[in-house]
């Protein structure tokens, strides 16, 4: 990387994470102004968005090539009081916590105390939402049965298609106006709400143009007329070259994450595809070289790193305890016509990923049968350097998953994965993640006949005292009843929350970007997208499988331990029952060893979870689906569960993603992949499999070839995703001891990479424990 | 038919091409001082009492009896990885030819299933036995320990006469063969050792050109202690990296393809 990029990168790495009250103050000022009272909700939201972009401080750093910051400075992170109003106590926690902190200065505290809190108290989404949740939801939430993504953040989780590379915002406004003209107020009962939504979209599109021109003015005054010209061109008009295309996306990205705090943030998706025509055109005209393209991409990369995920507190912080905001750049895969999409730019972007070594943006390669091996090998050579990127996805599986969900094959091929591992049709789908679901906790509740053992409260159904279960099937039936009961609670909550966002917090700006919001005259949060999906993310598959396998094997098959004895040992956290615990750990079948006696339970649990959720309608006219990924919720969920029949002690983390319980897989990586492939992954919207390898596995070209065939074989079995942590446990222990020496140590957590130092100690320990497959000596 | 094995190792990457599953057959006619699996020498199932004090002692069983059919099911589990990587199954030990009928049945089963087979052998077996394997084994990983008969006898317990004869036989049949040379300081790493080996090969097996040098390491030390075997190499120094590279260069100058490690 050249000197300019080096400086910008360092500046980004060293920037301080802090809270900026700027946005919260603008939003408050706007909503306090009486002349803004009379608008419809979408128009009000759009005008508020415009007010922010007209008034926020413009931040342009020296030597920048891509400009624009969400806050007044890099990593100065705004808050969204209309969604989640932080208390003074929250701000103090954010300021002082050891990990994933945000510094809060006294001015911010004063602004919150005197202006923001007095206005928003009682009006924030979080309060509105919690008022709406009934006791069964609140009990289940408190017990750690599930989490709620839309408690502190807005629905997001979408990815941009190729729209902005073809259309400027002025053209989009014209499209909106034409749609308004065609509204039929005589026959369409929704004509009014459509008009208000469409007007809101036009206002927000105009707001982005204003925001860009304010940058142009500042750049002009600084004598940087080349950049100023770009900011006058985009987003008003379609981009003419590589630089304009990147800058256009960046303004759009800032728009989306300023309008609300969607989870995940936003994502350019298939960047190598979208930019390729500009890249090729620039090379042909001689206006772009490979080096200048790389410099621009690196400058673009750094912008993502300047924008941490907005501050989370409480359970939301526990389930996703990271600065990462999950913009996942997709490389490779298939073109719309089904041909190989890997191009020169895909390789150039891999160079950028390797050089930048940044936590954000996340990056992945899509690997189809039709993609060449050298693409995979190049990616693995970066994986080898041990910062967990890029992760590797099976394009053919993603396409099949999306088509199964009813998407056209073209829309499916234009899709990919976002966030951690979630499949989506880019530019056409609104897929919300609604929360993690603690499948292992369901078994615990079943074993205690409906009681949450940690609180002693009856929160589930009375499905019977397990001591009276004469067969394993009776236990499974009880488990199924509890599972369906809690899924119902979760889905009821989701449907209310979805409506709350639809009514109170539409996102007209995001709606201009996703097809078919404009033609339907409907907001992204109200079902305006072509495809609408809501996911419930299952957690702890490995753990619950091992618990069931242990019960079946020890209690019902071998009959050498009674369920009464196991329950007694569990209640005592195995203290005084060490011998039994040893037996449960060492001599019971375990998921991850390609052993059907264990893996059949994984299949069964998967099918029950799938049947309970898949295909049910959502409030905005979409469909509920499942996927299996944890972010960091497996640690939180583990902390809400006592000792379990697989020998796991109370409060320890659960297995993550579809990986086996930490240390339970003893037959090496091929057995893990075989076990993981036994669940029908094509029926999900994504699964996450983490494999930790010591560096020796990647020691030479020959080893890389073997890892490559490991990946290809897993994908042949319809595996969705695999990621590699290349680091030795000794190094991690060392890093835990001397964090100051390992400030740059990045590890793969679960669908994303993070600084090892920023992880909580229990998660650090868990990563160390994850089976370390010994490489060839 | 049944046989005794003492381990199955999946994702084995050092015993032939691609991703392999290696099955270790129990029993070995040699008693090499550097042996990494001393618990595999005896042909039967053995029980060792392990642990440091009487309280923590447990019984560890080495060896398990498997039928050919069951074992083939187990070995075939990684077929998808074999196919993707050009891998297969490797028979190791012990000395797999010690259980010749079992081995032939297994190898036959693999061939019927279209799976690539390799054998890791010390070569010490009756004349004629390799002839029975020619159509069942795709790759021979053949140990070459020491050309000097006296030294060979001292460190392995047997003469190398038969081993060299078998090697010549395999050469006459033009099989795919890799020579595996365990590289042990003070025992077979001198200039003399290496040059005599090269001379012999040039004269007797000129078309075998693949050599894997397997540097000795002391990982097995703990095992000797655990199972109570006498470790005659306890005090051996670790390999000198420069000497290893020198030997590699020497062999390459003599027309061999050399790989360090399996």
């Amino acid at each position: 990387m050249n000197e300019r990029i080096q400086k910008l990168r360092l500046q980004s790495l060293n920037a301080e994470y802090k809270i900026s009250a700027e946005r919260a103050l603008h939003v408050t000022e706007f909503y306090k102004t009486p002349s803004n009272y009379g608008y419809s909700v979408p128009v009000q939201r759009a005008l508020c968005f415009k007010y922010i972009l007209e008034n926020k401080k413009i931040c342009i750093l020296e030597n920048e090539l891509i400009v624009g910051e969400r806050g007044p400075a890099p990593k100065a992170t705004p808050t969204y009081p209309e969604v989640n109003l932080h208390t003074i106590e929250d701000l103090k926690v954010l300021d002082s916590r050891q990990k994933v902190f945000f510094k809060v200065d006294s001015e911010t505290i004063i602004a919150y105390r005197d202006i923001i809190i007095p206005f928003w108290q009682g009006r924030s989404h979080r309060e509105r939402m919690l008022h709406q949740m009934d006791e069964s939801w609140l009990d289940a939430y408190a017990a750690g049965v599930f989490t709620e993504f839309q408690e502190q953040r807005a629905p997001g989780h979408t990815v941009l298609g190729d729209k902005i590379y073809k259309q400027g915002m002025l053209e989009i406004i014209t499209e909106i106006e034409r749609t308004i003209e065609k509204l039929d107020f005589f026959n369409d009962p929704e004509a009014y709400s459509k008009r208000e939504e469409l007007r809101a979209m036009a206002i927000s599109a105009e707001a982005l143009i204003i925001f860009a021109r304010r940058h142009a003015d500042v750049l002009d005054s600084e004598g940087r007329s080349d950049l100023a010209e770009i900011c006058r061109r985009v987003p008003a008009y379609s981009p003419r070259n590589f630089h304009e295309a990147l800058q256009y996306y960046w303004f759009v990205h800032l728009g989306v994450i300023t309008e609300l705090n969607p989870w995940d943030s936003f994502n350019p998706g298939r960047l190598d595809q979208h930019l390729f025509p500009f890249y090729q055109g620039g090379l042909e005209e001689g206006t772009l070289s490979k080096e200048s393209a790389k410099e621009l991409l690196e400058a673009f990369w750094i912008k993502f790193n300047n924008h941490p995920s907005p501050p989370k507190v409480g359970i939301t912080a526990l389930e996703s305890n990271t600065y990462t905001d999950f913009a996942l750049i997709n490389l490779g895969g298939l073109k719309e016509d089904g041909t190989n999409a890997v191009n020169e730019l895909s390789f150039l972007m891999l160079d950028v990923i390797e050089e930048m070594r940044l936590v954000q943006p996340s990056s992945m390669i899509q690997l189809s049968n039709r993609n060449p091996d050298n693409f995979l090998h190049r990616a693995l050579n970066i994986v080898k350097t041990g910062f967990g990127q890029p992760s590797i996805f099976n394009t053919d599986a993603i396409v099949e998953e999306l088509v199964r969900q009813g998407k056209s094959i073209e829309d499916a091929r234009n899709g990919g994965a976002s966030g951690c591992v979630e499949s989506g049709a880019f530019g056409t789908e609104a897929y919300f993640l609604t929360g993690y679901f603690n499948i292992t906790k369901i078994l615990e509740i079943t074993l205690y006949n409906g009681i949450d053992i940690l609180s002693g409260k009856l929160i589930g159904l009375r499905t019977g005292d397990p001591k009276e279960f004469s067969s394993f099937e009776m236990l499974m039936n009880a488990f199924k009843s509890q599972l369906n009961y809690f899924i119902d609670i979760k889905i009821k909550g989701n449907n209310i929350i979805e409506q709350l966002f639809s009514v109170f917090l539409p996102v007209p700006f995001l709606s201009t970007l996703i097809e078919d919001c404009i033609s339907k005259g409907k907001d992204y949060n109200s079902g305006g997208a072509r495809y609408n999906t809501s996911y419930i993310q299952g957690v702890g598959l490995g753990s619950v499988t091992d618990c069931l396998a242990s019960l079946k094997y020890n209690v019902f098959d071998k009959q050498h331990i009674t369920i009464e004895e196991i329950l007694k040992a569990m209640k005592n956290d195995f203290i005084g029952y060490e011998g039994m615990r040893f037996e449960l750990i060492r001599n019971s079948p375990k998921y991850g060893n390609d052993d059907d006696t264990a893996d059949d339970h994984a299949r069964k649990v998967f099918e029950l979870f799938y049947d309970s959720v898949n295909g049910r309608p959502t409030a905005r006219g979409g469909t509920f689906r499942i996927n299996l990924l944890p972010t960091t919720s497996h640690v939180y969920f583990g902390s809400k569960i006592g000792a379990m029949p697989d020998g796991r002690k109370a409060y320890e983390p659960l297995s993550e993603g579809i990986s086996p319980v930490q240390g339970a897989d003893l037959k090496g990586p091929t057995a893990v992949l075989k076990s993981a492939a036994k669940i029908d992954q094509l029926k999900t919207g994504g699964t996450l499999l983490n494999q930790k390898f010591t560096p020796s596995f990647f020691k030479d070209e020959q080893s890389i070839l073997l890892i490559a065939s490991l990946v290809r074989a897993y994908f042949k079995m319809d595996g969705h995703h695999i990621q590699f942590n290349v680091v030795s446990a000794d190094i991690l222990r060392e890093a835990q001891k001397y964090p100051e020496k390992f400030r740059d140590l990045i590890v793969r957590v679960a669908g994303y990479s993070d600084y090892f130092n920023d992880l909580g100690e229990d998660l650090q320990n868990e990563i160390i424990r994850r089976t370390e497959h010994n490489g060839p000596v | 038919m049944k046989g005794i094995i003492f381990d199955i190792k999946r994702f084995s990457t050092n015993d032939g091409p691609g991703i392999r599953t290696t099955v270790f057959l129990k029993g070995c006619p040699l008693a090499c001082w550097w042996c990494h699996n001393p618990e595999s020498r005896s042909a039967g199932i053995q029980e060792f009492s392990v642990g440091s004090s009487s309280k923590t002692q447990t019984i560890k069983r080495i060896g398990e009896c498997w039928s050919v059919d069951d074992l083939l099911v187990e070995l075939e589990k990684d077929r998808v990885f074999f196919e993707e990587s050009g891998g297969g199954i490797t028979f190791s030990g012990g000395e797999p030819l010690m259980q010749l009928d079992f081995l032939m049945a297994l190898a036959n089963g693999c061939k019927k299933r279209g799976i690539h087979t390799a054998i890791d052998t010390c070569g010490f077996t009756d004349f004629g036995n390799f002839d029975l394997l020619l159509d069942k084994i795709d790759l021979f990983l053949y140990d070459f320990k020491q050309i000097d008969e006296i030294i060979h006898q001292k460190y392995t317990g047997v003469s190398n006469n038969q081993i060299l004869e078998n090697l010549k036989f395999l050469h006459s049949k033009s099989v795919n063969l890799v020579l595996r040379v365990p590289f042990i300081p003070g025992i077979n790493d001198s200039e003399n050792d290496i040059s005599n080996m090269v001379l012999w090969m040039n004269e007797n097996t000129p078309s075998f050109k693949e050599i894997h040098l397997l540097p000795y390491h002391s990982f097995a030390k703990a095992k000797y202690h655990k199972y109570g075997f006498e470790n005659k190499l306890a005090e051996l120094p670790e390999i000198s990296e420069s000497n290893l590279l020198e030997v590699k260069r020497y062999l390459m100058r003599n027309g061999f393809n050399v790989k360090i490690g399996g």
Side-chain angles (χ1 to χ4, degrees):
Chain A
M1 76 190 90
N2 64 29
E3 205 181 321
R4 177 208 302 263
I5 297 297
Q6 265 177 34
K7 276 188 185 158
L8 288 170
R9 181 176 177 276
L10 215 61
Q11 196 171 21
S12 177
L13 286 173
N14 292 335
E16 191 185 33
Y17 293 98
K18 60 180 178 218
I19 298 290
S20 158
E22 186 190 37
R23 182 189 179 281
L25 283 170
H26 283 145
V27 174
T28 311
E29 281 156 25
F30 176 85
Y31 277 94
K32 268 178 144 178
T33 306
S35 57
N36 292 330
Y37 291 174
Y39 298 105
S40 66
V41 174
V43 169
Q44 210 172 34
R45 292 291 313 156
L47 287 171
C48 177
F49 176 66
K50 190 173 165 205
Y51 183 77
I52 299 168
L53 294 188
E54 281 174 341
N55 290 289
K56 80 171 287 300
K57 182 173 175 277
I58 298 293
C59 168
I60 297 171
L61 305 170
E62 209 184 324
N63 282 323
E64 274 195 313
L65 292 171
I66 304 293
V67 298
E69 286 287 326
R70 173 179 57 182
K75 292 186 185 166
T77 308
T79 53
Y80 304 76
E82 67 271 51
V83 179
N84 174 29
L85 177 62
H86 292 101
T87 62
I88 298 294
E89 187 52 36
D90 285 340
L91 295 175
K92 284 183 182 158
V93 169
L94 287 171
D95 180 67
S96 60
R97 70 187 178 196
Q98 294 262 305
K99 310 281 179 177
V100 197
F101 59 80
F102 289 86
K103 290 292 152 199
V104 183
D105 57 24
S106 53
E107 255 174 76
T108 302
I109 298 274
I110 293 167
Y112 257 81
R113 189 192 63 197
D114 296 345
I115 303 168
I116 301 164
I117 294 176
F119 180 78
W120 287 101
Q121 190 98 61
R123 297 180 193 198
S124 76
H125 162 77
R126 190 187 192 190
E127 291 161 278
R128 201 154 45 217
M129 177 209 123
L130 290 172
H131 280 311
Q132 290 290 334
M133 295 300 113
D134 58 24
E135 208 186 323
S136 59
W137 190 96
L138 293 168
D139 281 347
Y141 185 65
V145 176
F146 49 71
T147 66
E148 178 47 60
F149 262 41
Q150 270 84 67
E151 178 215 350
Q152 296 178 30
R153 298 189 66 175
H157 220 287
T158 193
V159 181
L160 190 61
D162 63 358
K163 180 167 186 163
I164 66 164
Y165 308 100
K166 295 174 175 163
Q167 277 184 308
M169 284 289 157
L170 289 173
E171 209 180 317
I172 292 174
I173 291 172
T174 309
E175 186 190 335
I176 293 168
E177 283 165 353
R178 272 199 209 116
T179 314
I180 294 178
E181 278 163 26
K182 276 188 242 152
L183 287 174
D184 179 357
F185 277 84
F186 302 108
N187 298 300
D188 182 355
E190 288 176 7
Y192 165 74
S193 57
K194 286 180 184 171
R195 188 188 65 192
E196 291 307 299
E197 175 65 29
L198 289 162
R199 278 182 175 170
M201 289 185 201
I203 294 164
S204 62
E206 189 202 337
L208 196 74
I209 299 174
I210 294 169
F211 183 54
R213 295 207 165 139
R214 291 182 64 215
H215 284 81
D217 292 344
V218 175
L219 287 162
D220 267 336
S221 72
E222 288 176 359
R224 296 158 77 179
S225 57
D226 47 340
L227 287 184
E229 194 201 324
I230 293 172
C231 297
R232 290 195 200 285
R233 171 80 198 179
V234 293
Y237 303 96
S238 60
R240 293 166 299 187
N241 57 44
F242 197 76
H243 197 164
E244 286 178 359
L246 283 170
Q247 182 64 59
Y248 189 173
Y249 175 79
W250 188 247
F251 279 133
V252 163
H253 187 92
L254 290 178
V256 173
I257 64 173
T258 299
E259 184 177 41
L260 273 185
N261 58 351
W263 194 351
D264 302 329
S265 59
F266 200 48
N267 188 346
R270 308 280 298 274
L271 200 59
D272 57 344
Q273 306 306 303
H274 301 320
L275 293 182
F276 190 62
F278 299 105
Y279 176 72
Q280 222 176 8
L283 291 184
E284 275 164 20
E285 283 170 13
T287 51
L288 188 75
S289 66
K290 200 172 165 183
E291 287 66 41
S292 60
K294 190 169 161 205
E295 186 185 34
L296 284 167
L297 286 169
E298 294 188 330
F300 181 72
W301 245 247
I302 291 165
K303 293 309 274 187
F304 284 92
N305 201 59
N306 287 351
H307 291 78
S309 155
K312 292 163 269 193
V313 293
I315 290 172
T316 304
L318 293 173
E319 70 180 313
S320 181
N321 198 13
T322 173
Y323 289 123
T324 299
D325 212 9
F326 300 99
L328 179 64
I329 292 182
N330 284 228
L331 304 177
L334 294 173
K335 292 185 196 169
E336 194 174 277
D337 62 4
T339 55
N340 169 31
V342 172
N343 60 38
E344 206 183 311
L345 205 45
S346 320
F347 282 93
L348 187 64
M349 286 183 188
L350 286 173
D351 294 346
V352 169
I353 291 162
E354 187 173 41
E355 261 188 35
M356 289 289 95
R357 266 185 105 75
L358 291 170
V359 166
Q360 292 202 85
S362 299
S363 59
M364 64 90 123
I365 63 158
Q366 284 197 30
L367 185 70
S368 157
N369 271 327
R370 298 201 177 188
N371 294 139
D373 281 335
N374 65 342
F375 179 56
L376 174 58
H377 297 166
R378 176 71 187 99
L380 287 173
N381 270 301
I382 301 171
V383 169
K384 168 171 119 176
T385 65
F387 81 114
Q389 290 194 34
S391 52
I392 304 165
F393 285 80
N394 182 354
T395 303
D396 306 313
I398 288 174
V399 170
E400 214 171 317
E401 289 160 21
L402 294 175
V403 168
R404 191 195 73 82
Q405 295 178 357
K407 280 128 188 155
S408 77
I409 193 149
E410 291 81 9
D411 286 343
R413 284 177 184 146
N414 282 330
S418 61
C420 285
V421 297
E422 300 83 298
S423 302
F426 294 174
T428 52
E429 183 174 15
Y431 47 123
F432 303 171
L433 265 60
T434 68
Y436 298 108
F437 191 87
N438 192 346
I439 308 176
T440 316
K441 181 79 190 174
I442 301 297
L443 180 63
E444 189 191 43
I445 293 169
T446 311
L447 290 173
Y448 293 116
N449 195 7
I451 287 174
D452 167 30
I453 193 70
L454 297 191
S455 66
K457 205 168 170 179
L458 177 70
I459 65 167
L461 300 173
R462 283 290 189 188
T463 45
D465 183 346
K467 284 168 222 145
E468 329 234 292
F469 293 161
S470 54
S471 69
F472 183 70
E473 283 61 45
M474 286 177 78
L475 173 69
M476 282 311 283
N477 284 336
F479 173 74
K480 182 181 170 182
S481 304
Q482 300 284 6
L483 177 72
N484 290 337
Y485 173 71
F486 284 103
I487 289 289
D488 280 349
I489 293 174
K490 175 69 180 152
I491 282 187
K492 181 180 170 191
N494 286 346
N495 280 338
I496 293 170
I497 295 165
E498 229 172 81
Q499 285 293 306
L500 293 177
F501 271 99
S502 173
V503 172
F504 294 100
L505 289 167
V507 279
F509 179 68
L510 177 57
S511 305
T512 61
L513 304 166
I514 303 299
E515 310 293 347
D516 307 314
C517 292
I518 294 177
S519 61
K520 287 192 201 167
K522 252 190 183 178
D523 193 83
Y524 177 87
N525 282 349
S526 306
R530 186 173 306 162
Y531 308 109
N532 292 282
T533 314
S534 292
Y535 281 104
I536 297 176
Q537 307 103 255
V539 176
L541 183 72
S543 290
V544 71
T545 297
D546 287 1
C547 292
L548 288 169
S550 165
L551 288 170
K552 171 101 182 354
Y553 179 82
N554 293 303
V555 176
F556 295 98
D557 292 351
K558 292 264 157 186
Q559 298 184 9
H560 58 182
I561 311 177
T562 65
I563 203 155
E564 206 163 353
E565 287 167 329
I566 290 194
L567 285 170
K568 221 168 165 187
M570 281 161 59
K571 280 183 187 155
N572 287 291
D573 200 15
F574 294 109
I575 293 162
Y577 297 85
E578 285 78 12
M580 185 204 286
R581 180 164 180 253
F582 184 83
E583 190 73 15
L584 296 176
I585 292 176
R586 296 291 287 276
N587 294 330
S588 306
K590 304 280 180 193
Y591 170 75
N593 295 293
D594 194 9
D595 170 5
D596 284 338
T597 44
D599 300 344
D600 281 347
H601 296 288
R603 255 192 292 238
K604 180 77 187 157
V605 169
F606 174 83
E607 293 298 336
L608 289 176
F609 181 49
Y610 173 83
D611 288 342
S612 185
V613 176
N614 182 69
R616 296 175 67 168
T618 82
R620 67 184 199 285
T623 311
F624 279 105
R625 309 262 180 216
I626 62 162
N627 49 27
L628 298 164
L629 65 116
T631 314
T632 59
S633 68
H634 59 297
V635 178
Y636 162 65
F637 278 163
S639 76
K640 305 294 278 183
I641 302 182
M644 287 297 275
D646 63 340
R648 173 190 155 282
K649 299 269 279 176
Y651 319 123
E652 282 186 1
L654 302 177
S655 62
E656 55 90 43
I658 56 169
S659 311
V661 167
Q662 298 75 357
D665 52 319
L666 302 172
K667 293 200 170 169
T670 57
V672 173
L673 300 186
K674 283 284 302 289
S675 285
K678 286 177 193 174
I679 58 170
D680 194 349
Q681 298 192 25
L682 297 179
K683 284 155 94 175
T684 72
T687 61
L688 183 144
L689 184 68
N690 215 326
Q691 285 275 279
K692 188 149 156 276
F693 282 101
T694 49
S696 57
F697 264 87
F698 292 76
K699 65 179 175 185
D700 51 26
E701 270 311 302
Q702 200 57 36
S703 320
I704 297 269
L705 288 182
L706 289 181
I707 298 287
S709 44
L710 199 66
V711 172
R712 291 274 194 189
Y714 182 53
F715 287 0
K716 210 171 174 180
M717 297 185 285
D718 295 333
H720 172 90
H721 153 274
I722 186 166
Q723 67 189 26
F724 297 99
N725 246 332
V726 183
V727 64
S728 73
D730 288 343
I731 290 176
L732 295 176
R733 275 185 212 105
E734 185 92 6
Q736 215 175 13
K737 243 195 231 164
Y738 309 103
E740 68 286 358
K741 281 196 207 160
F742 292 88
R743 286 178 53 192
D744 60 342
L745 177 61
I746 297 175
V747 293
R748 196 81 188 158
V749 182
Y752 67 99
S753 297
D754 216 333
Y755 289 107
F756 189 68
N757 272 341
D758 283 338
L759 304 176
E761 201 191 334
D762 42 2
L763 187 58
Q764 289 184 340
N765 287 336
E766 193 242 308
I767 289 184
I768 293 172
R769 273 199 307 273
R770 271 182 204 162
T771 312
E772 194 182 352
H773 300 284
N774 289 314
V777 190
Chain B
M1 188 190 306
K2 291 193 169 190
I4 295 172
I5 64 170
F6 70 95
D7 203 3
I8 297 172
K9 196 172 181 304
R10 293 166 72 165
F11 196 61
S12 157
T13 54
N14 281 345
D15 299 319
I19 295 173
R20 311 189 71 82
T21 296
T22 301
V23 53
F24 296 84
L25 279 67
K26 205 161 180 298
C28 184
L30 271 59
C32 305
W33 287 27
W34 53 85
C35 180
H36 283 167
N37 295 318
E39 77 281 16
S40 75
R41 283 180 200 157
S42 154
I45 294 171
Q46 283 169 293
E47 283 184 349
F48 296 89
S49 127
V50 293
S52 45
S53 70
S54 58
K55 260 191 181 170
T56 60
Q57 270 192 358
T58 52
I59 301 294
K60 173 111 178 134
R61 255 169 98 92
I62 302 289
E64 235 179 287
C65 193
W66 282 74
S67 75
V68 172
D69 289 345
D70 288 350
L71 189 52
L72 282 171
V73 169
E74 187 65 27
L75 296 180
E76 203 183 350
K77 279 184 168 176
D78 274 354
R79 169 186 277 277
V80 65
F81 299 97
F82 305 158
E83 287 172 355
E84 207 53 54
S85 65
I89 287 165
T90 300
F91 303 104
S92 183
E95 167 50 54
L97 278 117
M98 287 275 281
Q99 301 183 52
L100 185 61
D101 293 339
F102 183 56
L103 172 68
M104 289 206 308
L106 286 174
N108 247 333
C110 289
K111 282 294 99 193
K112 263 191 203 150
R113 288 164 173 75
I115 298 173
H116 180 276
T117 54
I119 187 168
D120 179 11
T121 176
C122 71
F124 189 82
T125 187
D126 290 346
F127 298 129
N129 285 349
F130 278 110
D131 190 39
L132 300 169
L133 291 176
L134 292 179
D135 60 341
K136 300 175 187 67
I137 297 292
D138 299 306
L139 172 69
F140 292 83
L141 305 166
Y142 201 100
D143 288 6
F144 199 117
K145 288 160 179 141
Q146 171 56 265
I147 192 73
D148 183 299
E149 194 183 346
I150 311 282
I151 302 178
H152 193 280
Q153 176 86 43
K154 175 179 172 189
Y155 287 106
T156 69
V158 301
S159 154
N160 61 6
N161 201 352
Q162 214 170 340
I163 296 172
L164 297 176
E165 281 308 310
N166 278 326
L167 187 58
K168 282 196 235 168
F169 169 76
L170 289 171
H171 186 262
S172 74
K173 297 293 178 188
S174 308
V175 301
N176 285 323
L177 187 141
V178 173
L179 275 194
R180 306 237 273 188
V181 181
F183 196 71
I184 303 147
I187 294 181
N188 67 356
D189 67 336
S190 75
E191 243 183 274
N192 231 2
D193 293 325
I194 304 296
S195 59
N196 285 340
M197 177 179 86
V198 169
L199 279 176
W200 187 90
M201 287 188 66
N202 285 343
E203 195 181 321
N204 296 289
T205 59
S207 13
F208 289 157
K209 288 295 173 205
E210 299 293 324
I211 291 186
H212 290 175
L213 285 174
L214 310 176
Y216 174 80
H217 55 70
S218 51
F219 296 162
K221 225 179 198 172
K223 239 184 198 178
Y224 276 83
H225 180 75
K226 185 173 163 189
Y227 296 125
F229 293 108
E230 182 197 2
N231 187 354
K232 295 182 185 167
L233 283 189
E235 296 310 313
L236 208 65
E238 290 285 327
I239 300 276
S240 118
E241 195 69 22
S242 59
N243 188 26
L244 187 66
L245 290 174
E246 205 173 295
V247 169
K248 181 180 174 182
R249 279 193 293 270
Y250 172 79
L251 290 170
M252 285 171 74
R253 274 200 304 276
N254 280 279
F256 292 97
N257 301 317
V258 186
K259 204 176 136 193
I260 293 178

